[in-house]
Amino acid sequence: MRVSKTKRSSSQVPGSAGGELPLEIQQNVDRVDRVVAAGFQGREWEQLADELYVYAYKTLHVAMRKSFKLMALIAHSETPLVLSSEEGSALHSNFDDRAVIATMTISEAMRTLPSTLRKGGYDPAANPGKDNKYKSLASFFVGRCGLVFPRAFSDWRRERADRFVTAVNEHKRGWILSGVLHPAAVEPALAVGPAPDDVIVLCSTLTAMIDDLKPRNRAVWHMVLEGCSRDEVSEALGIKLGNVDNALYTFRNKVRKLRREGKLVVPPPIEAEWERRRNLDVATATNGEGR
């Protein structure tokens, strides 16, 4: 049995720095010794790994919802972590994203755990924690997760961007903005024959603006303009409905600002159709309230 490396004097209290290990911590040490001796094979290692996974999974979920807790968790990592406001929002509000990141983090930490334990990495007697409190094996493992979290997060970020880019590419079939603007949406003058030059210019401008959006917002707009509902976009991309609405609102607001500044010219026939639709929406809403 591996025990504290320091001798205990008559004045030392069990569990204090330099004293014998508390029973729970000593049991952790003994378990590590056994799984190392067994070559990380067998039922005890499987059970231990399951326990560590469950503890770390819950702890990571909590940490990702609070930025100060996350920063404390990764404080000793050599890999820097920089979060965009969008990513911070995703960690705080999106359970599915947190679940994926937690799983990726734990998998990486678990991959290197056997090597760390073989080298005596878990030695609570020699490394008392804050306030001289000995660290449990579960807390030690969470610390290991904190070291690899930034790397796991970067992998998630890359896979997430790839997923949105894939969605964009899959929905580029039939992606013709002029087809959204004029065949059935505008006055008959634009519904028959080739689109006028000013409509083509507008379509090209808006297409270029959408293609310059971040991958997620670009995917949202491609899917919406192909006729997907907000719910369908949310489900296909694995994002919240609020994220879909934000992508739509942000881009529309940008277009409105460019129009006010005279930097984006909308052809009169399309302006007329938009005005007709606005009036129709108002009339529909008014009739609905009158019932």
Side-chain angles (χ1 to χ4, degrees):
M1 179 176 73
R2 183 156 52 104
V3 295
S4 173
K5 293 182 177 179
T6 57
K7 294 182 179 180
R8 179 185 172 196
S9 69
S10 58
S11 62
Q12 289 174 331
V13 179
S16 65
E20 67 181 25
L21 296 174
L23 178 60
E24 180 184 357
I25 302 301
Q26 185 61 57
Q27 289 174 339
N28 285 175
V29 173
D30 294 342
R31 291 184 78 183
V32 169
D33 287 346
R34 290 196 297 271
V35 297
V36 169
F40 298 93
Q41 301 292 326
R43 184 176 182 82
E44 184 165 24
W45 166 241
E46 292 177 0
Q47 183 177 351
L48 178 59
D50 286 343
E51 292 174 7
L52 295 177
Y53 179 95
V54 170
Y55 183 86
Y57 185 84
K58 293 179 180 179
T59 304
L60 287 170
H61 263 282
V62 172
M64 281 187 277
R65 296 201 69 183
K66 301 289 185 180
S67 59
F68 72 93
K69 289 186 177 181
L70 181 58
M71 293 303 108
L73 177 68
I74 67 171
H76 299 292
S77 176
E78 296 180 355
T79 305
L81 175 66
V82 179
L83 295 176
S84 68
S85 57
E86 177 188 327
E87 290 166 342
S89 176
L91 291 185
H92 175 76
S93 60
N94 194 311
F95 177 88
D96 291 339
D97 282 339
R98 291 198 304 274
V100 171
I101 297 169
T103 300
M104 294 174 69
T105 300
I106 294 170
S107 296
E108 178 61 20
M110 192 66 73
R111 183 182 67 81
T112 59
L113 182 62
S115 175
T116 300
L117 296 182
R118 285 193 187 97
K119 297 175 181 177
Y122 178 62
D123 190 354
N127 301 288
K130 187 178 180 181
D131 299 327
N132 290 323
K133 292 182 178 179
Y134 296 111
K135 186 174 291 186
S136 69
L137 182 58
S139 295
F140 171 79
F141 181 66
V142 168
R144 300 291 302 174
C145 289
L147 297 178
V148 302
F149 182 91
R151 188 162 65 250
F153 183 85
S154 295
D155 291 340
W156 169 81
R157 174 190 283 152
R158 183 171 56 254
E159 291 178 6
R160 184 169 181 255
D162 290 344
R163 184 173 82 241
F164 294 141
V165 169
T166 298
V168 168
N169 292 334
E170 288 179 349
H171 287 80
K172 269 197 170 183
R173 296 186 302 273
W175 161 250
I176 304 173
L177 195 55
S178 60
V180 177
L181 286 175
H182 79 79
V186 192
E187 294 299 303
L190 296 182
V192 179
D197 290 342
D198 51 2
V199 173
I200 293 175
V201 171
L202 174 63
C203 293
S204 299
T205 300
L206 293 177
T207 299
M209 289 173 62
I210 289 174
D211 284 342
D212 284 340
L213 295 175
K214 293 180 179 179
R216 185 182 73 176
N217 291 359
R218 189 163 74 243
V220 168
W221 270 97
H222 275 277
M223 295 180 71
V224 166
L225 290 173
E226 278 220 337
C228 296
S229 69
R230 293 161 54 250
D231 288 332
E232 289 172 336
V233 174
S234 174
E235 182 177 354
L237 297 181
I239 60 178
K240 285 182 170 290
L241 197 58
N243 295 135
V244 176
D245 292 337
N246 184 64
L248 298 176
Y249 170 79
T250 302
F251 184 74
R252 285 169 178 156
N253 196 48
K254 182 177 182 179
V255 170
R256 283 194 292 268
K257 180 180 179 182
L258 291 175
R259 291 176 63 197
R260 286 195 302 269
E261 295 172 350
K263 297 178 181 179
L264 184 68
V265 179
V266 177
I270 295 180
E271 285 277 20
E273 174 62 14
W274 286 351
E275 180 64 25
R276 184 186 71 80
R277 288 190 172 198
R278 283 193 291 269
N279 293 337
L280 182 61
D281 290 341
V282 170
T284 301
T286 302
N287 292 336
E289 292 175 357
R291 291 177 181 174

